[in-house]
Amino acid sequence: MRYSAYSIFKEALSGNRMWKPAWREPQPKPHYDVIIVGGGGHGLATAYYLAKEFGITNVAVLEKGYLGSGNVGRNTTIIRSNYLLEGNNPFYEFSLKLWEGLERDFNYNAMVSQRGILNLFHSDGQRDAHARKGNGMRIHGVDAELLDREQVRRKAPYLNFDHARFPIMGALYQKRAGTVRHDAVAWGYGRGADARGVDLIQHCEVTGIRRENGLVVGVETTRGFIGCNKLALAAAGNTTTVGRMADLELPIETHVLQAFVSEGLKPVVDHVITYGAGHFYISQSDKGGLVFGAEIDFYSSYAQRGNLQTVEHTMEEGVSLIPGLSRAKVLRSWGGVMDMSMDGSPIIDRTPIDNLYLNCGWCYGGFKATPASGFCFAHLIAKNETHHVSRFMRLDRFERGYTIDEAGRGPQPNLH
Amino acid sequence: MASLITCPHCGTRPKEEFSIRGAAAPKRPSPTAKDEAWHRYVYVRDNPKGRYEEYWHHEAGCRRFLVVERDNLTHEVFGVTDAAEFKRGGAAE
């Protein structure tokens, strides 16, 4: 079924009883051309683009929980392409361009809202760093604007401009950045893939990878053995666990990142605001809740829950930036497990096993990358060639000395 | 994660006093080891789910590096030792 204003009107007149499920619940077939492990944003986007752009439809997505039950349903929904390095910027800009046309492309309302992002700065040195990043973006043809204190004040008058430790001097502004309804991204991609013949198989956990003569022949799952010609991993925080089944050695540590949402309020925060000096960022959902978070909890964790120390720290930083936040009530907090890579950048690459493909290392920035990650991964799987915007995101870059260290923090995954 | 860490030097202290360096399992190769050994030491991580040894720095206490052995799924802490006493089993080749 194609969604449109007409279909909503028509279904309303018939009491909304005619809506069909958005995707099938197929039984696994004995063999597929491509199996994708992980039914999150990246796995579903990969399946969608494999079918739509590269004509490969004999595909299964295996998900151990339900579709979108991992980080695509747990993030803070921000999209942006304000990256400095050549290995990152064109990739994230490609992603942002895909976001801009996404809803028309997959016929689903993902509530893409380009409300702009403000990266605040508080010192001359930080301003220089932001100016450099903005210039780097503009060299790549991406919009970026350096705002002074008064320009920021006009956009966000509620900020604590005279903060004792970090007075606000200005911000780097990317107007095309924004937020997206995250669950709808998973649903839209899933529905689009399903409509093109991809089997989305939920509650099917991969327990082993079967290899013969050095090639993958299929996966053992909780629903039996399923054969494949090519196997693609998009398992986020569980990448190491799945990769170990194929003896992959990965530059990944798993960490937990928390996020928070307040009670619904009237519109107050019109942009996405990041406060790097205080490790805090915030936006407001269309439902009115303030969505915010800070850094990871710093210790290795596979638990999808965080520590109170980080909760307290996040609240302190939030109130110090937006004093009025102290009057809002926090409704919920949650945690997701992140595949933190050793340079803070992702991996979309082949592996030492010829028909095994890897998509991982998204740290806590994977949501904004969903469309480009799916597109580039599908390109790699279909053509066995790297897409040019993801050509730096290689698995062997650490060994060869070509890390993409956007933050310049070295091989310390809990600091990226 | 547990809220209290028992430092072998300072006793039971709130975890806020510590900062976390990362995995304690990788063994530092000898200076003349091949690039491959150094690559594995610097970049490759076992990243196990479950029992895990991690360097913690008692920043607001004795300022010693410690090795906290714990479960990274249940957050149970099994033991804390001073990094100097932590058995490294010798340098890798």
Short mmCIF file of all heavy atoms in Angstrom, two decimals, chain A residues 320-373:
data_model
loop_
_atom_site.label_atom_id
_atom_site.label_comp_id
_atom_site.label_asym_id
_atom_site.label_seq_id
_atom_site.Cartn_x
_atom_site.Cartn_y
_atom_site.Cartn_z
N SER A 320 23.45 23.96 34.15
CA SER A 320 24.42 25.05 34.07
C SER A 320 24.33 25.78 32.73
O SER A 320 24.62 26.96 32.65
CB SER A 320 25.84 24.54 34.34
OG SER A 320 26.44 24.07 33.16
N LEU A 321 23.92 25.07 31.68
CA LEU A 321 23.78 25.72 30.37
C LEU A 321 22.41 26.37 30.23
O LEU A 321 22.29 27.47 29.69
CB LEU A 321 23.95 24.68 29.25
CG LEU A 321 23.79 25.23 27.84
CD1 LEU A 321 24.95 26.14 27.48
CD2 LEU A 321 23.65 24.11 26.82
N ILE A 322 21.37 25.68 30.69
CA ILE A 322 20.00 26.19 30.59
C ILE A 322 19.40 26.17 31.99
O ILE A 322 18.83 25.16 32.42
CB ILE A 322 19.16 25.30 29.65
CG1 ILE A 322 19.86 25.14 28.30
CG2 ILE A 322 17.75 25.86 29.48
CD1 ILE A 322 19.16 24.18 27.35
N PRO A 323 19.54 27.27 32.74
CA PRO A 323 19.06 27.24 34.13
C PRO A 323 17.59 26.81 34.25
O PRO A 323 17.23 26.13 35.20
CB PRO A 323 19.27 28.69 34.59
CG PRO A 323 20.39 29.19 33.72
CD PRO A 323 20.20 28.53 32.39
N GLY A 324 16.77 27.19 33.26
CA GLY A 324 15.35 26.86 33.32
C GLY A 324 15.08 25.36 33.30
O GLY A 324 13.99 24.90 33.66
N LEU A 325 16.06 24.59 32.88
CA LEU A 325 15.90 23.14 32.81
C LEU A 325 15.64 22.53 34.19
O LEU A 325 15.04 21.47 34.31
CB LEU A 325 17.18 22.53 32.21
CG LEU A 325 17.10 21.17 31.55
CD1 LEU A 325 16.16 21.20 30.37
CD2 LEU A 325 18.50 20.75 31.09
N SER A 326 16.06 23.27 35.23
CA SER A 326 15.88 22.73 36.58
C SER A 326 14.40 22.61 36.93
O SER A 326 14.03 21.88 37.85
CB SER A 326 16.58 23.63 37.60
OG SER A 326 15.97 24.91 37.60
N ARG A 327 13.54 23.30 36.17
CA ARG A 327 12.10 23.25 36.47
C ARG A 327 11.38 22.14 35.72
O ARG A 327 10.21 21.88 35.97
CB ARG A 327 11.45 24.61 36.13
CG ARG A 327 12.13 25.79 36.77
CD ARG A 327 12.07 25.72 38.29
NE ARG A 327 10.71 25.89 38.78
CZ ARG A 327 10.15 27.06 39.01
NH1 ARG A 327 10.83 28.16 38.82
NH2 ARG A 327 8.92 27.14 39.45
N ALA A 328 12.08 21.51 34.78
CA ALA A 328 11.44 20.43 34.01
C ALA A 328 11.68 19.10 34.71
O ALA A 328 12.69 18.90 35.37
CB ALA A 328 12.02 20.40 32.59
N LYS A 329 10.72 18.20 34.55
CA LYS A 329 10.87 16.88 35.15
C LYS A 329 11.39 15.90 34.10
O LYS A 329 10.93 15.91 32.96
CB LYS A 329 9.53 16.38 35.67
CG LYS A 329 9.00 17.18 36.84
CD LYS A 329 7.70 16.57 37.36
CE LYS A 329 7.18 17.33 38.56
NZ LYS A 329 6.75 18.71 38.22
N VAL A 330 12.32 15.06 34.51
CA VAL A 330 12.80 14.02 33.60
C VAL A 330 11.82 12.86 33.64
O VAL A 330 11.45 12.38 34.71
CB VAL A 330 14.22 13.55 34.01
CG1 VAL A 330 14.65 12.36 33.17
CG2 VAL A 330 15.21 14.69 33.84
N LEU A 331 11.38 12.46 32.46
CA LEU A 331 10.42 11.35 32.40
C LEU A 331 11.13 10.01 32.35
O LEU A 331 10.76 9.07 33.03
CB LEU A 331 9.57 11.47 31.14
CG LEU A 331 8.32 12.32 31.16
CD1 LEU A 331 7.50 12.00 29.92
CD2 LEU A 331 7.50 12.09 32.40
N ARG A 332 12.11 9.92 31.46
CA ARG A 332 12.73 8.62 31.22
C ARG A 332 14.21 8.79 30.97
O ARG A 332 14.65 9.81 30.45
CB ARG A 332 12.12 7.96 29.96
CG ARG A 332 10.69 7.52 30.10
CD ARG A 332 10.25 6.77 28.86
NE ARG A 332 10.19 7.61 27.68
CZ ARG A 332 10.82 7.35 26.55
NH1 ARG A 332 11.56 6.29 26.43
NH2 ARG A 332 10.71 8.17 25.51
N SER A 333 14.98 7.75 31.31
CA SER A 333 16.36 7.68 30.85
C SER A 333 16.62 6.25 30.42
O SER A 333 15.93 5.33 30.87
CB SER A 333 17.33 8.10 31.95
OG SER A 333 17.44 7.09 32.92
N TRP A 334 17.56 6.07 29.54
CA TRP A 334 17.83 4.73 29.03
C TRP A 334 19.26 4.67 28.53
O TRP A 334 19.94 5.70 28.46
CB TRP A 334 16.85 4.36 27.91
CG TRP A 334 16.95 5.22 26.70
CD1 TRP A 334 17.69 4.95 25.58
CD2 TRP A 334 16.32 6.49 26.47
NE1 TRP A 334 17.56 5.98 24.68
CE2 TRP A 334 16.73 6.93 25.19
CE3 TRP A 334 15.47 7.30 27.21
CZ2 TRP A 334 16.31 8.15 24.65
CZ3 TRP A 334 15.05 8.52 26.68
CH2 TRP A 334 15.48 8.92 25.41
N GLY A 335 19.72 3.47 28.24
CA GLY A 335 21.08 3.32 27.73
C GLY A 335 21.11 2.40 26.53
O GLY A 335 20.25 1.54 26.37
N GLY A 336 22.09 2.64 25.67
CA GLY A 336 22.29 1.76 24.52
C GLY A 336 23.76 1.36 24.47
O GLY A 336 24.62 2.11 24.97
N VAL A 337 24.05 0.19 23.91
CA VAL A 337 25.46 -0.22 23.84
C VAL A 337 26.06 0.14 22.49
O VAL A 337 25.49 -0.10 21.44
CB VAL A 337 25.65 -1.72 24.15
CG1 VAL A 337 25.40 -1.97 25.63
CG2 VAL A 337 24.80 -2.60 23.30
N MET A 338 27.24 0.77 22.57
CA MET A 338 27.89 1.37 21.40
C MET A 338 29.13 0.58 21.04
O MET A 338 29.91 0.22 21.92
CB MET A 338 28.37 2.79 21.76
CG MET A 338 27.36 3.66 22.43
SD MET A 338 26.10 4.09 21.26
CE MET A 338 24.66 3.98 22.29
N ASP A 339 29.34 0.38 19.75
CA ASP A 339 30.59 -0.21 19.29
C ASP A 339 31.60 0.91 19.09
O ASP A 339 31.72 1.48 18.01
CB ASP A 339 30.39 -1.03 18.01
CG ASP A 339 29.46 -0.39 17.01
OD1 ASP A 339 28.68 0.51 17.40
OD2 ASP A 339 29.50 -0.75 15.82
N MET A 340 32.31 1.24 20.17
CA MET A 340 33.28 2.34 20.12
C MET A 340 34.54 1.85 19.41
O MET A 340 35.17 0.88 19.82
CB MET A 340 33.66 2.80 21.54
CG MET A 340 32.49 3.29 22.37
SD MET A 340 31.64 4.73 21.70
CE MET A 340 32.93 5.97 21.77
N SER A 341 34.92 2.55 18.35
CA SER A 341 36.11 2.13 17.61
C SER A 341 37.33 2.85 18.17
O SER A 341 37.21 3.78 18.97
CB SER A 341 35.95 2.43 16.13
OG SER A 341 35.98 3.83 15.93
N MET A 342 38.51 2.45 17.72
CA MET A 342 39.73 2.98 18.31
C MET A 342 40.09 4.37 17.78
O MET A 342 41.03 4.99 18.27
CB MET A 342 40.90 2.02 18.05
CG MET A 342 40.72 0.68 18.73
SD MET A 342 40.43 0.79 20.51
CE MET A 342 42.08 0.58 21.12
N ASP A 343 39.40 4.87 16.76
CA ASP A 343 39.66 6.25 16.33
C ASP A 343 38.37 7.08 16.28
O ASP A 343 38.39 8.21 15.80
CB ASP A 343 40.39 6.28 14.98
CG ASP A 343 39.58 5.65 13.86
OD1 ASP A 343 38.47 5.12 14.14
OD2 ASP A 343 40.04 5.68 12.71
N GLY A 344 37.28 6.50 16.76
CA GLY A 344 36.02 7.25 16.79
C GLY A 344 35.28 7.25 15.46
O GLY A 344 34.25 7.90 15.33
N SER A 345 35.80 6.56 14.46
CA SER A 345 35.15 6.53 13.15
C SER A 345 34.75 5.09 12.80
O SER A 345 35.31 4.13 13.34
CB SER A 345 36.08 7.09 12.08
OG SER A 345 36.31 8.46 12.33
N PRO A 346 33.80 4.95 11.89
CA PRO A 346 33.23 3.63 11.61
C PRO A 346 34.05 2.81 10.63
O PRO A 346 35.05 3.27 10.06
CB PRO A 346 31.88 3.97 11.00
CG PRO A 346 32.12 5.27 10.33
CD PRO A 346 33.09 6.01 11.19
N ILE A 347 33.61 1.59 10.42
CA ILE A 347 34.21 0.67 9.46
C ILE A 347 33.11 0.16 8.54
O ILE A 347 32.09 -0.35 9.00
CB ILE A 347 34.88 -0.51 10.20
CG1 ILE A 347 36.06 -0.01 11.04
CG2 ILE A 347 35.33 -1.59 9.20
CD1 ILE A 347 36.47 -0.94 12.14
N ILE A 348 33.30 0.36 7.23
CA ILE A 348 32.43 -0.27 6.23
C ILE A 348 33.40 -0.94 5.27
O ILE A 348 34.03 -0.26 4.46
CB ILE A 348 31.56 0.74 5.47
CG1 ILE A 348 30.67 1.54 6.42
CG2 ILE A 348 30.70 0.04 4.41
CD1 ILE A 348 29.86 2.63 5.74
N ASP A 349 33.57 -2.24 5.38
CA ASP A 349 34.66 -2.84 4.61
C ASP A 349 34.44 -4.33 4.44
O ASP A 349 33.59 -4.94 5.09
CB ASP A 349 35.99 -2.58 5.33
CG ASP A 349 37.20 -2.66 4.40
OD1 ASP A 349 37.01 -2.93 3.19
OD2 ASP A 349 38.32 -2.46 4.89
N ARG A 350 35.27 -4.88 3.55
CA ARG A 350 35.38 -6.33 3.46
C ARG A 350 36.17 -6.82 4.67
O ARG A 350 36.72 -6.03 5.43
CB ARG A 350 36.11 -6.71 2.17
CG ARG A 350 35.28 -6.55 0.93
CD ARG A 350 36.11 -6.87 -0.29
NE ARG A 350 37.05 -5.79 -0.51
CZ ARG A 350 36.99 -4.95 -1.56
NH1 ARG A 350 36.06 -5.10 -2.48
NH2 ARG A 350 37.88 -3.99 -1.69
N THR A 351 36.25 -8.14 4.83
CA THR A 351 37.01 -8.73 5.93
C THR A 351 38.00 -9.73 5.33
O THR A 351 37.97 -9.99 4.12
CB THR A 351 36.06 -9.48 6.89
OG1 THR A 351 35.54 -10.62 6.19
CG2 THR A 351 34.92 -8.60 7.36
N PRO A 352 38.83 -10.34 6.17
CA PRO A 352 39.73 -11.38 5.64
C PRO A 352 38.98 -12.55 5.00
O PRO A 352 39.58 -13.33 4.26
CB PRO A 352 40.51 -11.83 6.88
CG PRO A 352 40.48 -10.64 7.80
CD PRO A 352 39.15 -10.00 7.56
N ILE A 353 37.70 -12.70 5.30
CA ILE A 353 36.90 -13.74 4.66
C ILE A 353 36.18 -13.10 3.47
O ILE A 353 35.46 -12.11 3.64
CB ILE A 353 35.88 -14.33 5.66
CG1 ILE A 353 36.64 -14.97 6.82
CG2 ILE A 353 34.96 -15.35 4.97
CD1 ILE A 353 35.77 -15.32 8.00
N ASP A 354 36.38 -13.66 2.27
CA ASP A 354 35.98 -12.97 1.04
C ASP A 354 34.50 -12.58 0.96
O ASP A 354 34.17 -11.55 0.39
CB ASP A 354 36.33 -13.83 -0.18
CG ASP A 354 37.76 -13.54 -0.64
OD1 ASP A 354 38.34 -12.57 -0.13
OD2 ASP A 354 38.26 -14.29 -1.50
N ASN A 355 33.62 -13.46 1.45
CA ASN A 355 32.19 -13.12 1.30
C ASN A 355 31.56 -12.69 2.62
O ASN A 355 30.36 -12.85 2.83
CB ASN A 355 31.42 -14.30 0.68
CG ASN A 355 31.48 -15.54 1.55
OD1 ASN A 355 32.28 -15.62 2.47
ND2 ASN A 355 30.62 -16.50 1.26
N LEU A 356 32.39 -12.16 3.51
CA LEU A 356 31.89 -11.61 4.77
C LEU A 356 32.18 -10.11 4.80
O LEU A 356 33.31 -9.69 4.60
CB LEU A 356 32.58 -12.29 5.96
CG LEU A 356 32.18 -11.79 7.36
CD1 LEU A 356 30.72 -12.12 7.65
CD2 LEU A 356 33.08 -12.40 8.42
N TYR A 357 31.13 -9.32 5.02
CA TYR A 357 31.23 -7.86 4.96
C TYR A 357 30.90 -7.28 6.33
O TYR A 357 30.07 -7.82 7.06
CB TYR A 357 30.27 -7.30 3.91
CG TYR A 357 30.56 -7.84 2.53
CD1 TYR A 357 30.04 -9.07 2.12
CD2 TYR A 357 31.37 -7.16 1.65
CE1 TYR A 357 30.31 -9.59 0.87
CE2 TYR A 357 31.66 -7.65 0.40
CZ TYR A 357 31.13 -8.88 0.01
OH TYR A 357 31.42 -9.37 -1.23
N LEU A 358 31.56 -6.18 6.64
CA LEU A 358 31.48 -5.64 8.00
C LEU A 358 31.07 -4.17 8.00
O LEU A 358 31.60 -3.37 7.25
CB LEU A 358 32.86 -5.79 8.66
CG LEU A 358 32.99 -5.34 10.11
CD1 LEU A 358 32.15 -6.21 11.02
CD2 LEU A 358 34.45 -5.37 10.54
N ASN A 359 30.12 -3.88 8.87
CA ASN A 359 29.65 -2.50 9.08
C ASN A 359 29.58 -2.31 10.59
O ASN A 359 28.73 -2.90 11.25
CB ASN A 359 28.26 -2.36 8.43
CG ASN A 359 27.66 -0.98 8.61
OD1 ASN A 359 27.83 -0.36 9.65
ND2 ASN A 359 26.95 -0.51 7.62
N CYS A 360 30.51 -1.52 11.14
CA CYS A 360 30.54 -1.40 12.61
C CYS A 360 31.33 -0.16 13.01
O CYS A 360 31.77 0.62 12.17
CB CYS A 360 31.16 -2.64 13.24
SG CYS A 360 32.93 -2.79 12.93
N GLY A 361 31.50 0.01 14.31
CA GLY A 361 32.34 1.08 14.84
C GLY A 361 31.68 2.45 14.77
O GLY A 361 32.36 3.47 14.65
N TRP A 362 30.36 2.49 14.88
CA TRP A 362 29.67 3.77 14.73
C TRP A 362 29.72 4.62 15.98
O TRP A 362 29.21 5.73 16.00
CB TRP A 362 28.22 3.54 14.28
CG TRP A 362 28.23 3.00 12.90
CD1 TRP A 362 28.14 1.69 12.52
CD2 TRP A 362 28.45 3.74 11.69
NE1 TRP A 362 28.27 1.58 11.17
CE2 TRP A 362 28.46 2.83 10.63
CE3 TRP A 362 28.63 5.09 11.42
CZ2 TRP A 362 28.66 3.22 9.31
CZ3 TRP A 362 28.82 5.49 10.11
CH2 TRP A 362 28.84 4.55 9.07
N CYS A 363 30.34 4.09 17.02
CA CYS A 363 30.41 4.83 18.28
C CYS A 363 29.01 5.30 18.65
O CYS A 363 28.08 4.53 18.52
CB CYS A 363 31.43 5.96 18.17
SG CYS A 363 33.08 5.33 17.78
N TYR A 364 28.86 6.56 19.07
CA TYR A 364 27.49 6.98 19.35
C TYR A 364 26.97 7.93 18.29
O TYR A 364 26.10 8.74 18.53
CB TYR A 364 27.36 7.59 20.76
CG TYR A 364 28.51 8.47 21.16
CD1 TYR A 364 28.59 9.77 20.70
CD2 TYR A 364 29.51 7.97 21.99
CE1 TYR A 364 29.66 10.55 21.06
CE2 TYR A 364 30.58 8.78 22.35
CZ TYR A 364 30.64 10.05 21.88
OH TYR A 364 31.70 10.84 22.24
N GLY A 365 27.53 7.82 17.07
CA GLY A 365 27.11 8.74 16.02
C GLY A 365 26.46 8.03 14.85
O GLY A 365 26.42 8.57 13.74
N GLY A 366 25.95 6.84 15.07
CA GLY A 366 25.48 6.04 13.96
C GLY A 366 24.15 6.45 13.37
O GLY A 366 23.89 6.21 12.19
N PHE A 367 23.31 7.11 14.16
CA PHE A 367 21.97 7.39 13.65
C PHE A 367 22.00 8.29 12.43
O PHE A 367 21.38 7.99 11.40
CB PHE A 367 21.08 8.00 14.74
CG PHE A 367 19.72 8.35 14.22
CD1 PHE A 367 18.81 7.35 13.93
CD2 PHE A 367 19.35 9.67 13.98
CE1 PHE A 367 17.55 7.66 13.41
CE2 PHE A 367 18.11 9.98 13.46
CZ PHE A 367 17.20 8.97 13.17
N LYS A 368 22.74 9.39 12.51
CA LYS A 368 22.80 10.33 11.39
C LYS A 368 23.34 9.70 10.12
O LYS A 368 23.06 10.14 9.02
CB LYS A 368 23.67 11.54 11.77
CG LYS A 368 25.16 11.21 11.77
CD LYS A 368 26.01 12.39 12.11
CE LYS A 368 26.20 12.56 13.59
NZ LYS A 368 26.98 11.48 14.23
N ALA A 369 24.12 8.62 10.33
CA ALA A 369 24.78 7.97 9.20
C ALA A 369 23.90 6.91 8.54
O ALA A 369 24.28 6.37 7.50
CB ALA A 369 26.07 7.32 9.68
N THR A 370 22.75 6.62 9.13
CA THR A 370 21.95 5.47 8.68
C THR A 370 21.78 5.38 7.16
O THR A 370 22.09 4.34 6.57
CB THR A 370 20.58 5.47 9.39
OG1 THR A 370 20.80 5.53 10.79
CG2 THR A 370 19.77 4.22 9.04
N PRO A 371 21.31 6.44 6.48
CA PRO A 371 21.10 6.28 5.03
C PRO A 371 22.40 6.01 4.26
O PRO A 371 22.45 5.10 3.44
CB PRO A 371 20.48 7.62 4.61
CG PRO A 371 19.99 8.25 5.85
CD PRO A 371 20.88 7.77 6.95
N ALA A 372 23.44 6.80 4.55
CA ALA A 372 24.70 6.61 3.81
C ALA A 372 25.35 5.29 4.15
O ALA A 372 25.94 4.63 3.30
CB ALA A 372 25.65 7.78 4.09
N SER A 373 25.25 4.90 5.41
CA SER A 373 25.82 3.62 5.83
C SER A 373 25.15 2.48 5.07
O SER A 373 25.82 1.59 4.54
CB SER A 373 25.62 3.44 7.34
OG SER A 373 25.86 2.11 7.71
#
